[in-house]
């Protein structure tokens, strides 16, 4: 199969397969494994500090000379409603107590969510090949600065309207994230009601309206689904869940087990964990926050509020109280080195040609 | 492109393209147009009387000698909660009054929903080629009787578990209905929470587990999506929304306009109109019943309760108070004869080969 197309040309990569950025799961080792095997790894740095971002980029560069993308969160802050924050904190404290978990409350001032604007200068200095982003669109100044450095820009859309806006802003490559995808929705125009478009409907409709290469995200788990995505008009695919169980993944063991054992009906869309819509395997944390019936503070505040619980649970490898982000094809995952998973996907797709 | 496969062989049809059964929209003329052009038309008779069923089958047979499927609702009745029914009736009466519509209440005894069991004898007598069904699985006795007459059976699944059950019961062909699909969900095992699996995830997972031919339903709107469905493992596709705007459709003019003008984000999943989960374009009827915050009686009771309103609105071509069932690719539809729409889909798919 000839994988040459405007997307692979733009990035000078062989395979139009992107490893999805998964904050808390993706490591420099995972990114490098994909890029070294001629796909495009994605290093997530959304919300991280400048120092941490530099460290991660350099770690990744130490492991690969090939192109990879650095992924930003392009959202703007929403001022949290302090009554809602107080109520949620109280709930989480009680909830932690009942479940025998410590809850070390952080003060709002200590929340360490950094705007992508703090990172643009670093990306320019560190000479990265591509910058991908989600939750919004970078501001015009950042877009201009990155484009002047010939950095390829990859934006995320969940509706035709969002894709058209990315196109209009001159973004080079447009990810169409179907509702099957695991983790956070990239939605940034209207999130209530959330667009819930299947990748099979979204990709062809976006392809019809934009001239830029479109990458299909969501539902891609094997050679067949890769080929189907290309058939539906995509010039590339973005794959996340399949790499959560890779050796290079930072996911704790119980998270990996949950992925391997999940059926296609086990994931839900929820705002409960971070305040933004995301797809994950339903566990006690999601169920109890949703059942509490109290308002969920906006992202990233809710994310910070659940962090103490999730950090403790992660440390103790307890899947009941962590975020088990996962797509609808989780059960198809395998535990192998990322390079083996990646090359097997390539081979499956090529064997179908 | 060679369309020969176990599915087309079984039905002795040329193109593995099924026109989805759409009660209230599909007419004998639509079914015949598809079958005469070597696809498989589907005649919906779910809930209809024996007399009406015979009439529709004979009308269709007068228009085509080719195979078509007759579609049944395989659900069991749920006893309605009479307090819920009373409350909903009261709400709908008030709602009708406020909106200047008459509401001629039917007594529950007059509800004319017929069990599929009343129709099996007719299907055996009328020498139909195929029987498709949704909302459940036909009882063993019906399956045996239909199979003895060499009638091909086509069941509907919305999860791997449902597909496995259909397979186990010896159903010949299995539809995998992705969440993109318009109209009622075929879900019959666990409907709360409703499985919401994208067709791109559902088809390959079902294909991996059953040996029977699998048809992809949901999201199929053009040559690309047809090819993508086959690539993902399907041996056929079922297409509904594309035919709502056909000349042979019974949809009123304002319903057709709503389909043509819908964007991919305009449909919602709702139980408000019939008591069963279904996807349609959001209108006043859905919004106000959902906002009422009262319990929705189970299907088919809620369907009967909203019928007076919907019949009146349909008669007056008022899209605010009818069911605008539609899939997520509604905006791709065109107003043409069903045969032209069908042949154009075939041509688009063949041109991509």
């Amino acid at each position: 199969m000839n994988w040459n197309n405007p997307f692979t040309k733009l990035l000078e990569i062989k395979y139009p397969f992107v490893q999805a950025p998964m904050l808390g799961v993706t490591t420099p080792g995972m990114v490098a494994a994909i890029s070294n095997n001629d796909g495009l790894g994605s290093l997530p740095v959304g919300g991280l500090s400048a120092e941490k971002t530099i460290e991660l980029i350099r770690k990744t560069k130490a492991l690969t000379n090939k192109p990879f993308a650095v992924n930003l969160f392009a959202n703007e802050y929403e001022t949290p409603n302090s009554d809602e924050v107080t109520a949620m904190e109280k709930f989480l404290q009680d909830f932690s107590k009942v479940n025998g978990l410590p809850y070390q409350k952080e003060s709002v001032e200590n929340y360490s969510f950094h705007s992508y604007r703090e990172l643009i200068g670093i990306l320019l200095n560190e000479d990265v090949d591509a910058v991908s982003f989600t939750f919004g669109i970078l501001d015009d100044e950042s877009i201009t600065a990155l484009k002047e450095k010939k950095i390829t820009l990859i934006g995320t859309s969940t509706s035709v309207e969002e894709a058209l806006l990315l196109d209009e802003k001159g973004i080079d490559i447009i990810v169409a994230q179907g509702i099957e995808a695991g983790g956070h929705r990239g939605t940034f125009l209207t999130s209530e009601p959330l667009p819930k478009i299947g990748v099979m409907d979204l990709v062809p409709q976006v392809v019809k309206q934009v001239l830029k290469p479109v990458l299909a995200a969501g539902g891609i788990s094997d050679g067949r689904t890769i080929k189907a995505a290309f058939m539906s008009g995509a010039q590339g695919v973005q794959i996340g869940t399949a790499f959560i169980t890779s050796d290079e993944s930072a996911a704790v063991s119980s998270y990996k087990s949950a992925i391997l054992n999940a059926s296609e009906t086990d994931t839900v869309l929820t705002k409960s964990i971070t305040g933004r819509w995301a797809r994950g395997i339903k566990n006690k944390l999601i169920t109890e926050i949703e059942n509490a019936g109290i308002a969920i503070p906006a992202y990233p505040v809710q994310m910070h509020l659940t962090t103490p619980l999730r950090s403790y649970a992660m440390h103790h490898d307890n899947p009941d109280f962590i975020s088990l982000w996962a797509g609808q094809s989780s059960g198809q995952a395998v535990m192998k080195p990322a390079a083996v998973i990646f090359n097997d996907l390539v081979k499956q797709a090529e064997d179908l040609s």
Side-chain angles (χ1 to χ4, degrees), chain A:
Chain A
M1 168 123 188
N2 185 352
W3 297 110
N4 279 333
N5 65 31
F7 168 52
T8 50
K9 231 172 183 168
L10 204 54
L11 266 307
E12 296 177 4
I13 55 176
K14 185 168 172 190
Y15 303 116
F17 295 10
V18 181
Q19 158 258 313
M22 299 175 284
L23 197 70
V25 169
T26 301
T27 58
M30 183 191 291
V31 177
I34 307 308
S35 290
N36 284 334
N37 283 278
D38 302 313
L40 186 72
S42 307
L43 180 70
V45 300
L48 301 184
S49 67
E51 297 68 36
K52 188 73 192 165
T53 298
I54 294 173
E55 180 196 324
L56 288 170
I57 292 173
R58 292 184 182 173
K59 268 193 183 164
T60 308
K61 289 208 161 189
L63 300 170
T64 184
N65 296 316
K66 301 281 184 77
F68 62 91
V70 179
N71 184 261
L72 302 175
F73 292 160
N75 60 307
E76 300 298 335
Y77 290 87
E78 293 183 49
T79 312
N81 174 316
S82 65
D83 288 349
E84 281 180 14
V85 172
T86 308
M88 181 55 76
E89 261 178 356
K90 171 83 172 65
F91 168 77
L92 290 171
Q93 280 166 346
D94 295 347
F95 172 73
S96 302
K97 206 169 174 184
V98 167
N99 288 286
L101 309 165
Y103 184 86
Q104 190 62 50
K105 174 181 153 176
E106 281 184 277
S107 77
V108 178
E109 292 68 37
N110 286 340
Y111 291 166
S112 54
F113 188 91
H114 298 268
S115 163
Y116 75 86
R117 292 187 176 82
E118 299 175 34
L119 307 179
I120 297 292
I122 290 161
L123 302 180
L124 295 168
N125 285 336
E126 296 293 319
D127 196 24
V128 302
D129 300 283
V131 169
S132 61
F133 55 90
T134 186
F135 303 170
I137 304 191
L138 304 179
D139 62 274
D140 292 346
E141 198 186 335
S142 300
I143 291 175
T144 306
L146 293 163
K147 283 178 92 81
E148 270 174 12
K149 279 278 245 177
K150 307 240 179 287
I151 295 172
T152 302
L153 298 181
I154 307 174
T156 308
S157 65
T158 64
S159 68
V160 172
E161 200 185 354
E162 289 175 350
L164 285 170
L165 200 53
L166 291 165
D167 193 20
E168 201 178 283
K169 290 282 187 181
I171 304 309
D172 303 300
I173 293 161
I174 296 172
V175 174
Q177 186 192 32
I179 196 61
E180 300 87 346
H184 282 100
R185 305 298 308 155
T187 302
F188 59 92
L189 286 178
T190 308
S191 66
E192 304 295 340
L194 183 72
K196 294 177 184 163
I197 319 302
V199 73
M200 179 80 110
D201 270 334
L202 186 61
V203 169
Q205 294 191 50
V206 170
V207 166
K208 274 181 199 166
Q209 304 225 28
V210 305
L211 290 173
K212 311 292 172 57
V214 174
L215 312 185
I220 316 293
S221 62
D222 58 8
R224 275 182 178 153
T225 46
I226 290 169
K227 294 281 291 182
F230 281 85
M231 201 50 84
S232 78
Q235 294 199 2
V237 291
Q238 183 164 290
I239 303 169
T241 307
F243 296 109
I244 297 174
T245 51
S246 69
D247 294 356
E248 290 84 350
S249 158
V252 294
S253 153
S254 60
Y255 182 5
K256 290 184 177 180
S257 298
I259 294 280
L260 296 172
N261 295 320
S263 88
E264 82 290 1
T265 56
D266 287 343
T267 67
V268 290
L269 288 166
T270 186
K271 290 173 79 171
S272 60
I273 296 182
T274 67
R276 266 193 81 93
W277 286 110
R279 180 180 293 284
I281 297 168
K282 195 165 191 174
N283 63 0
K284 202 165 176 178
L285 184 62
I286 293 174
T287 308
E288 304 252 336
I289 294 175
E290 289 186 347
N291 288 349
I294 58 176
I296 294 171
Y299 179 90
V301 175
Q302 177 69 358
M303 180 179 71
H304 291 302
L305 291 173
T306 61
T307 293
L309 256 170
R310 291 186 294 125
S311 299
Y312 181 87
M314 195 137 63
H315 193 68
H316 291 80
D317 205 354
N318 180 346
D320 293 343
F321 306 103
I322 62 179
S323 39
L324 301 170
W325 303 138
Q328 288 187 337
S329 51
S330 297
Q332 314 302 306
V334 291
M335 287 181 70
K336 287 183 182 171
V340 173
I341 295 172
F342 180 83
N343 287 323
D344 188 42
L345 288 168
V346 172
K347 189 177 177 309
Q348 283 180 38
E350 296 199 322
D351 285 351
L352 286 170
S353 300

